[in-house]
Amino acid sequence: MPGSPLSRSGGILLHPTSLPGTGIGDTGPSAHRFAGVVAEMGLRWWQMLPIGPTGYGDSPYQSPSTFAGNPLLISLDDLAQDGLLDPSEIEADFPTAEVDFGAVIPWKRELLDRAAQRFSARPAPASFDQFLDTHMDTWLDDFSVFTALKRAHALRPWWEWEGDIRRRRPAALRRATAELTESILTVKIEQYVFDRGFRLLRSRCQDLGISLIGDIPIFVAHDSADVWANPSLFHLDGQGNPTVVAGVPPDYFSATGQRWGNPLYDWDRHVETGFAWWTDRMRRMFDLFDLVRIDHFRGFSASWHIPADEPTAENGEWVAAPGKELFAHLKSVFGNLPVIAEDLGLITPEVEELRDEFGLPGMKVLQFGFGTESAHAIDQFREHVVAYTGTHDNDTARGWFDSDEPTRIAERDIAMTALGSDGSDFASDLIDGVFESVAAIAIAPLQDVLSLDSNARMNTPGVEAGNWRWRFTWDQVTPEVVEGMARTVCRTHRV
């Protein structure tokens, strides 16, 4: 890794699905090319969203596994290079400016199944057996069986499966695994291929002096291998349904709060097990990434418990969590923790104390910095933070500036004054503000580097449809864009 995690440096935020490619971005040739662009810009960090399989609404924050990789990120070009697919099989006509998940998923699913069948017909490489040995006991076996069972149950959620399978009765599981042997093997092959491709990309980044920042949501999806395999770790009733669900109360993202719907942890049980599940989870992330952002760090101090029958997040209560005990344990296992604490929203002194006790950098988002007495104003930045122009949940910088929302007019005037901007290229001015700041790491989404409008927004919190689809095209990344970013990096001493 190039230097200390908190040495003065710059980075870019781009999820691999947003890369050019057939139907959807992946970790193959286009990702390797993008890594070269990041290096040309003089940036030292590439931050991604969670790379696990996507679930409801195609959200990377609602995954059927916190350990597995997303098969949609497997490069079909790499599979063709390996002789597992014919080049003619991967030709297709999809939109280039967005991901059409409804069309891409079944098309790519069929090709991945075909490649797995051909892989299984060959002698298995030693690296495949090593992959199985490394991950089988912690997550791979549960995830493979879970995924095969979901396909056998027409993708119905696990709590709708027959009782003995839902409750993981040993005899029922033995029968199911015997009947689904081929499907289970397919999942294992996919995870091996994903892991191999991701590690090749990471190696390429390391050669270029680029470190990777990963992202995990603090909570996991209800319909996940994690919850199905470990029901005692969550607040569930006898049928496997959550009694309380996660979210946040009303804030600047949503007037009714955000009801995420994830089951909440039974922290007493996690303490009893010595935080074994969390230890395995973080070990997996530290094995794949150089630095890990944990979304909703607030939840390690206290979680917003929403009764499961409430339709919004307005009615709930804060319930304390054993964050200090957890992070003390993780530190005893891993040493200094390469973690970014996502400390946005309603933050209490207890949250700040937990973050600071373990030396974790928090976040600043300059797009939030132009209201009255904002904690995200530039003069509130400190060195021990990771600063952003915006996150995946924000509008693009240009979209924010062009918005006609009533509150935006006053904020826009404050922003122009604070940044010395005439408004002609606000995205560039916002990037300058973040990169000139005292923050140790400064990061901009690629959308802001390209000065794109709201059509390039990645996610709108509280809106279920149309998110996570944006993609760029190579003709947008002009030499002028690359050279301009490189000059900013050099001028702000983030090389």
Side-chain angles (χ1 to χ4, degrees), residues 142 146 158 161 165-166 168 173 224-231:
D142 286 330
F146 173 84
W158 65 263
W161 301 348
I165 291 293
R166 183 177 72 241
R168 295 174 56 86
L173 283 180
S224 66
D226 306 288
V227 179
W228 174 68
N230 305 281

Side-chain angles (χ1 to χ4, degrees), residues 52-100:
T54 51
Y56 178 75
D58 306 306
S59 170
Y61 292 90
Q62 289 287 349
S63 177
S65 173
T66 191
F67 294 88
N70 187 353
L72 292 177
L73 296 179
I74 293 174
S75 167
L76 299 181
D77 292 301
D78 287 350
L79 293 178
Q81 183 71 28
D82 291 339
L84 296 172
L85 291 173
D86 188 273
S88 63
E89 293 178 295
I90 64 176
E91 295 176 358
D93 184 21
F94 289 106
T96 59
E98 66 174 8
V99 181
D100 182 355

Side-chain angles (χ1 to χ4, degrees), residues 212-295:
L212 297 182
I213 301 177
D215 191 336
I216 58 171
I218 185 175
F219 302 116
V220 298
H222 182 201
D223 192 17
S224 66
D226 306 288
V227 179
W228 174 68
N230 305 281
S232 66
L233 298 180
F234 302 88
H235 287 293
L236 307 177
D237 64 19
Q239 301 303 310
N241 298 306
T243 56
V244 287
V245 296
V248 289
D251 60 12
Y252 42 58
F253 279 128
S254 173
T256 59
Q258 298 179 50
R259 185 190 184 281
W260 300 328
N262 308 74
L264 285 155
Y265 297 115
D266 183 338
W267 282 115
D268 289 342
R269 180 59 180 157
H270 283 268
V271 172
E272 291 172 4
T273 61
F275 299 110
W277 182 85
W278 271 102
T279 304
D280 289 339
R281 186 183 194 190
M282 298 311 296
R283 179 178 288 111
R284 174 68 169 159
M285 290 301 295
F286 295 154
D287 187 42
L288 294 174
F289 294 98
D290 301 287
L291 193 55
V292 178
R293 171 190 181 271
I294 302 182
D295 194 46

Side-chain angles (χ1 to χ4, degrees), residues 5 10-14 44-51 198 210-215 285 288-294 338 340 386 388 441 443:
I12 201 156
L13 171 59
L14 181 81
R44 290 197 270 148
W45 298 96
W46 177 359
Q47 180 168 342
M48 304 175 179
L49 305 184
I51 59 171
F198 189 85
I210 298 166
S211 296
L212 297 182
I213 301 177
D215 191 336
M285 290 301 295
L288 294 174
F289 294 98
D290 301 287
L291 193 55
V292 178
R293 171 190 181 271
I294 302 182
I340 300 171
V386 181
Y388 299 78
I441 300 177
I443 293 178

